[in-house]
Short mmCIF file of all heavy atoms in Angstrom, two decimals:
data_model
loop_
_atom_site.label_atom_id
_atom_site.label_comp_id
_atom_site.label_asym_id
_atom_site.label_seq_id
_atom_site.Cartn_x
_atom_site.Cartn_y
_atom_site.Cartn_z
N HIS A 1263 0.32 -19.20 -4.59
CA HIS A 1263 -0.03 -18.41 -3.42
C HIS A 1263 1.19 -17.59 -2.94
O HIS A 1263 1.04 -16.40 -2.58
CB HIS A 1263 -0.49 -19.32 -2.28
CG HIS A 1263 -0.78 -18.56 -1.03
ND1 HIS A 1263 -1.88 -17.78 -0.86
CD2 HIS A 1263 -0.09 -18.52 0.12
CE1 HIS A 1263 -1.87 -17.25 0.35
NE2 HIS A 1263 -0.80 -17.68 0.99
N THR A 1264 2.36 -18.16 -2.92
CA THR A 1264 3.58 -17.46 -2.49
C THR A 1264 3.87 -16.32 -3.38
O THR A 1264 4.23 -15.23 -2.93
CB THR A 1264 4.74 -18.45 -2.43
OG1 THR A 1264 4.46 -19.49 -1.49
CG2 THR A 1264 5.99 -17.75 -1.92
N LEU A 1265 3.82 -16.52 -4.70
CA LEU A 1265 4.18 -15.47 -5.64
C LEU A 1265 3.14 -14.36 -5.70
O LEU A 1265 3.45 -13.23 -5.98
CB LEU A 1265 4.41 -16.06 -7.00
CG LEU A 1265 5.60 -16.98 -7.15
CD1 LEU A 1265 5.65 -17.58 -8.52
CD2 LEU A 1265 6.90 -16.27 -6.83
N SER A 1266 1.85 -14.70 -5.42
CA SER A 1266 0.82 -13.69 -5.52
C SER A 1266 0.63 -12.96 -4.18
O SER A 1266 -0.13 -12.00 -4.12
CB SER A 1266 -0.55 -14.32 -5.91
OG SER A 1266 -0.97 -15.16 -4.91
N ASP A 1267 1.25 -13.40 -3.14
CA ASP A 1267 1.15 -12.78 -1.82
C ASP A 1267 2.51 -12.34 -1.33
O ASP A 1267 3.10 -13.07 -0.51
CB ASP A 1267 0.43 -13.75 -0.84
CG ASP A 1267 0.13 -13.13 0.49
OD1 ASP A 1267 0.00 -11.88 0.53
OD2 ASP A 1267 -0.01 -13.87 1.47
N PRO A 1268 3.01 -11.23 -1.77
CA PRO A 1268 4.36 -10.83 -1.30
C PRO A 1268 4.42 -10.58 0.18
O PRO A 1268 3.40 -10.25 0.80
CB PRO A 1268 4.63 -9.53 -2.10
CG PRO A 1268 3.27 -9.01 -2.44
CD PRO A 1268 2.35 -10.22 -2.56
N GLY A 1269 5.63 -10.72 0.74
CA GLY A 1269 5.78 -10.50 2.19
C GLY A 1269 5.43 -9.14 2.62
O GLY A 1269 4.89 -8.93 3.71
N SER A 1270 5.70 -8.11 1.88
CA SER A 1270 5.32 -6.77 2.21
C SER A 1270 4.87 -6.05 0.95
O SER A 1270 5.44 -6.23 -0.11
CB SER A 1270 6.49 -6.04 2.85
OG SER A 1270 7.59 -5.97 1.97
N PRO A 1271 3.86 -5.24 1.07
CA PRO A 1271 3.42 -4.55 -0.12
C PRO A 1271 4.41 -3.51 -0.61
O PRO A 1271 5.14 -2.89 0.16
CB PRO A 1271 2.13 -3.83 0.33
CG PRO A 1271 2.23 -3.70 1.79
CD PRO A 1271 3.09 -4.87 2.24
N ALA A 1272 4.56 -3.37 -1.90
CA ALA A 1272 5.49 -2.43 -2.48
C ALA A 1272 4.95 -1.01 -2.31
O ALA A 1272 3.74 -0.78 -2.41
CB ALA A 1272 5.71 -2.71 -3.96
N LEU A 1273 5.81 -0.08 -2.05
CA LEU A 1273 5.41 1.34 -1.92
C LEU A 1273 5.18 1.86 -3.34
O LEU A 1273 6.13 1.90 -4.14
CB LEU A 1273 6.49 2.11 -1.20
CG LEU A 1273 6.20 3.58 -0.93
CD1 LEU A 1273 4.98 3.67 -0.04
CD2 LEU A 1273 7.38 4.26 -0.31
N VAL A 1274 3.99 2.23 -3.65
CA VAL A 1274 3.67 2.71 -5.01
C VAL A 1274 3.91 4.18 -5.14
O VAL A 1274 4.48 4.61 -6.16
CB VAL A 1274 2.19 2.43 -5.36
CG1 VAL A 1274 1.81 3.01 -6.70
CG2 VAL A 1274 1.96 0.91 -5.35
N GLY A 1275 3.62 4.98 -4.12
CA GLY A 1275 3.84 6.42 -4.29
C GLY A 1275 3.69 7.18 -2.98
O GLY A 1275 3.13 6.71 -2.00
N MET A 1276 4.28 8.40 -3.01
CA MET A 1276 4.23 9.26 -1.81
C MET A 1276 4.06 10.68 -2.32
O MET A 1276 4.62 11.08 -3.33
CB MET A 1276 5.54 9.15 -1.05
CG MET A 1276 5.56 9.94 0.20
SD MET A 1276 7.04 9.65 1.14
CE MET A 1276 8.06 10.96 0.58
N ARG A 1277 3.23 11.44 -1.62
CA ARG A 1277 2.96 12.82 -2.05
C ARG A 1277 3.06 13.73 -0.82
O ARG A 1277 2.57 13.41 0.23
CB ARG A 1277 1.54 12.90 -2.63
CG ARG A 1277 1.18 14.27 -3.10
CD ARG A 1277 -0.20 14.17 -3.71
NE ARG A 1277 -0.69 15.46 -4.06
CZ ARG A 1277 -1.74 15.68 -4.73
NH1 ARG A 1277 -2.50 14.67 -5.14
NH2 ARG A 1277 -2.15 16.90 -4.99
N ILE A 1278 3.74 14.88 -1.01
CA ILE A 1278 3.91 15.84 0.06
C ILE A 1278 3.22 17.14 -0.31
O ILE A 1278 3.58 17.76 -1.35
CB ILE A 1278 5.38 16.10 0.40
CG1 ILE A 1278 6.05 14.78 0.83
CG2 ILE A 1278 5.54 17.14 1.49
CD1 ILE A 1278 7.56 14.89 0.99
N ASP A 1279 2.17 17.57 0.41
CA ASP A 1279 1.47 18.82 0.20
C ASP A 1279 1.63 19.66 1.48
O ASP A 1279 0.88 19.45 2.43
CB ASP A 1279 -0.01 18.57 -0.04
CG ASP A 1279 -0.27 17.96 -1.44
OD1 ASP A 1279 0.47 18.32 -2.36
OD2 ASP A 1279 -1.18 17.14 -1.53
N GLY A 1280 2.62 20.56 1.48
CA GLY A 1280 2.87 21.36 2.71
C GLY A 1280 3.32 20.47 3.82
O GLY A 1280 4.39 19.85 3.73
N ASP A 1281 2.49 20.37 4.85
CA ASP A 1281 2.89 19.53 6.04
C ASP A 1281 2.27 18.12 5.94
O ASP A 1281 2.60 17.29 6.74
CB ASP A 1281 2.40 20.18 7.33
CG ASP A 1281 3.21 21.44 7.69
OD1 ASP A 1281 4.33 21.57 7.12
OD2 ASP A 1281 2.70 22.24 8.44
N ALA A 1282 1.43 17.91 4.95
CA ALA A 1282 0.69 16.64 4.84
C ALA A 1282 1.49 15.69 3.91
O ALA A 1282 1.88 16.07 2.81
CB ALA A 1282 -0.69 16.84 4.29
N VAL A 1283 1.70 14.46 4.41
CA VAL A 1283 2.39 13.44 3.65
C VAL A 1283 1.34 12.31 3.40
O VAL A 1283 0.75 11.85 4.37
CB VAL A 1283 3.60 12.86 4.37
CG1 VAL A 1283 4.20 11.72 3.57
CG2 VAL A 1283 4.60 13.94 4.66
N THR A 1284 1.11 11.97 2.15
CA THR A 1284 0.14 10.88 1.81
C THR A 1284 0.91 9.77 1.07
O THR A 1284 1.71 10.05 0.16
CB THR A 1284 -0.98 11.40 0.91
OG1 THR A 1284 -1.56 12.52 1.58
CG2 THR A 1284 -1.98 10.37 0.70
N VAL A 1285 0.66 8.55 1.51
CA VAL A 1285 1.31 7.41 0.92
C VAL A 1285 0.24 6.51 0.31
O VAL A 1285 -0.80 6.28 0.94
CB VAL A 1285 2.11 6.61 1.98
CG1 VAL A 1285 2.69 5.35 1.39
CG2 VAL A 1285 3.19 7.50 2.57
N LYS A 1286 0.50 6.00 -0.90
CA LYS A 1286 -0.40 5.07 -1.56
C LYS A 1286 0.34 3.72 -1.65
O LYS A 1286 1.40 3.64 -2.26
CB LYS A 1286 -0.77 5.58 -2.94
CG LYS A 1286 -1.54 4.59 -3.80
CD LYS A 1286 -2.95 4.36 -3.24
CE LYS A 1286 -3.71 3.44 -4.16
NZ LYS A 1286 -4.82 2.81 -3.55
N SER A 1287 -0.22 2.72 -1.00
CA SER A 1287 0.41 1.37 -1.01
C SER A 1287 -0.41 0.48 -1.93
O SER A 1287 -1.64 0.53 -1.95
CB SER A 1287 0.48 0.79 0.37
OG SER A 1287 -0.80 0.52 0.88
N GLY A 1288 0.26 -0.35 -2.70
CA GLY A 1288 -0.36 -1.29 -3.60
C GLY A 1288 -0.85 -2.49 -2.84
O GLY A 1288 -0.11 -3.02 -2.01
N GLN A 1289 -2.09 -2.89 -3.11
CA GLN A 1289 -2.64 -4.14 -2.42
C GLN A 1289 -3.82 -4.58 -3.20
O GLN A 1289 -4.35 -3.89 -4.07
CB GLN A 1289 -3.01 -3.82 -1.02
CG GLN A 1289 -4.09 -2.76 -0.89
CD GLN A 1289 -4.30 -2.38 0.57
OE1 GLN A 1289 -3.34 -2.39 1.31
NE2 GLN A 1289 -5.50 -2.03 0.93
N CYS A 1290 -4.24 -5.83 -2.99
CA CYS A 1290 -5.43 -6.40 -3.58
C CYS A 1290 -6.67 -5.75 -3.04
O CYS A 1290 -6.71 -5.27 -1.90
CB CYS A 1290 -5.44 -7.91 -3.34
SG CYS A 1290 -4.06 -8.77 -4.07
N PRO A 1291 -7.78 -5.68 -3.80
CA PRO A 1291 -8.98 -5.02 -3.38
C PRO A 1291 -9.57 -5.58 -2.06
O PRO A 1291 -10.15 -4.85 -1.28
CB PRO A 1291 -9.96 -5.23 -4.52
CG PRO A 1291 -9.14 -5.56 -5.68
CD PRO A 1291 -7.89 -6.19 -5.18
N GLN A 1292 -9.41 -6.89 -1.82
CA GLN A 1292 -10.00 -7.46 -0.61
C GLN A 1292 -9.10 -7.25 0.61
O GLN A 1292 -9.56 -7.51 1.73
CB GLN A 1292 -10.28 -8.93 -0.83
CG GLN A 1292 -9.05 -9.81 -0.91
CD GLN A 1292 -8.49 -9.96 -2.29
OE1 GLN A 1292 -8.83 -9.21 -3.19
NE2 GLN A 1292 -7.60 -10.87 -2.51
N ASP A 1293 -7.86 -6.85 0.46
CA ASP A 1293 -6.97 -6.62 1.58
C ASP A 1293 -7.25 -5.31 2.28
O ASP A 1293 -7.77 -4.38 1.70
CB ASP A 1293 -5.50 -6.64 1.11
CG ASP A 1293 -5.07 -8.01 0.63
OD1 ASP A 1293 -5.74 -9.01 0.99
OD2 ASP A 1293 -4.06 -8.13 -0.11
N ARG A 1294 -6.91 -5.26 3.56
CA ARG A 1294 -7.08 -4.05 4.37
C ARG A 1294 -5.80 -3.76 5.10
O ARG A 1294 -5.09 -4.67 5.57
CB ARG A 1294 -8.22 -4.21 5.37
CG ARG A 1294 -9.57 -4.37 4.73
CD ARG A 1294 -9.99 -3.06 4.03
NE ARG A 1294 -11.27 -3.21 3.35
CZ ARG A 1294 -11.41 -3.07 2.07
NH1 ARG A 1294 -10.42 -2.81 1.28
NH2 ARG A 1294 -12.63 -3.15 1.54
N VAL A 1295 -5.47 -2.47 5.26
CA VAL A 1295 -4.29 -2.05 5.96
C VAL A 1295 -4.60 -2.09 7.47
O VAL A 1295 -5.65 -1.59 7.89
CB VAL A 1295 -3.89 -0.59 5.57
CG1 VAL A 1295 -2.78 -0.08 6.42
CG2 VAL A 1295 -3.51 -0.53 4.11
N ARG A 1296 -3.69 -2.67 8.21
CA ARG A 1296 -3.89 -2.73 9.68
C ARG A 1296 -2.87 -1.85 10.44
O ARG A 1296 -3.15 -1.36 11.47
CB ARG A 1296 -3.73 -4.21 10.16
CG ARG A 1296 -4.92 -5.01 9.78
CD ARG A 1296 -4.89 -6.36 10.36
NE ARG A 1296 -5.15 -7.29 9.29
CZ ARG A 1296 -4.68 -8.51 9.14
NH1 ARG A 1296 -3.92 -9.02 10.06
NH2 ARG A 1296 -5.04 -9.26 8.17
#
């Protein structure tokens, strides 16, 4: 459980399109960002 549930999700990627910044965070399918 400890190894499969890291303390904070790793930042997978970031994209900048003009003024818009989009971040993709890695997480399990059942998890939700709060």
